[in-house]
Amino acid sequence: MKIPEYFKGITGMAGNPSTNNKEKLKQLRGVKVQFVVDDKDSYWMSSAKKSHQLLLELEVESTLEIIKNGEHVLESLVGKGFLDRANRLIN
């Protein structure tokens, strides 16, 4: 959030912003944010849902993808799976 002008997008895969400070999060306007979590990882899924909703309220472009029957480490997204999602951020 200190240098958002250097990023087109951010992907959180079992990850979330380290703050709920709305003024700091507003700095992500203009940066595409996507969360990817699995449906069996209840802690991260719940946290990602909350962060996603907060970003939308702050007018930050955010998406949330929940992977069915995934695992905490989304090995199925290594390589092409991740790159396909990363390309969504720049297109």
Side-chain angles (χ1 to χ4, degrees):
M1 289 175 276
K2 292 180 182 179
I3 52 171
E5 64 276 7
Y6 285 91
F7 297 92
K8 298 275 282 173
I10 300 169
T11 300
M13 296 180 73
N16 290 281
S18 61
T19 183
N20 287 325
N21 181 303
K22 292 180 180 183
E23 291 307 310
K24 288 183 179 180
L25 291 171
K26 284 180 185 180
Q27 295 176 42
L28 293 175
R29 289 179 180 158
V31 177
K32 294 180 181 179
V33 178
Q34 63 180 345
F35 298 96
V36 182
V37 297
D38 70 271
D39 64 344
K40 293 182 179 179
D41 199 343
S42 60
Y43 171 81
W44 285 111
M45 185 172 59
S46 174
S47 183
K49 285 180 177 179
K50 289 176 187 173
S51 295
H52 168 65
Q53 187 59 44
L54 178 57
L55 291 174
L56 291 177
E57 290 170 13
L58 297 172
E59 300 178 357
V60 174
E61 187 175 344
S62 178
T63 60
L64 170 63
E65 179 181 3
I66 299 173
I67 305 293
K68 297 272 186 208
N69 299 312
E71 299 176 15
H72 176 70
V73 176
L74 295 166
E75 291 183 22
S76 64
L77 298 186
V78 172
K80 185 176 182 335
F82 173 76
L83 293 174
D84 287 343
R85 285 160 180 83
N87 279 330
R88 293 180 197 166
L89 297 172
I90 59 172
N91 293 321

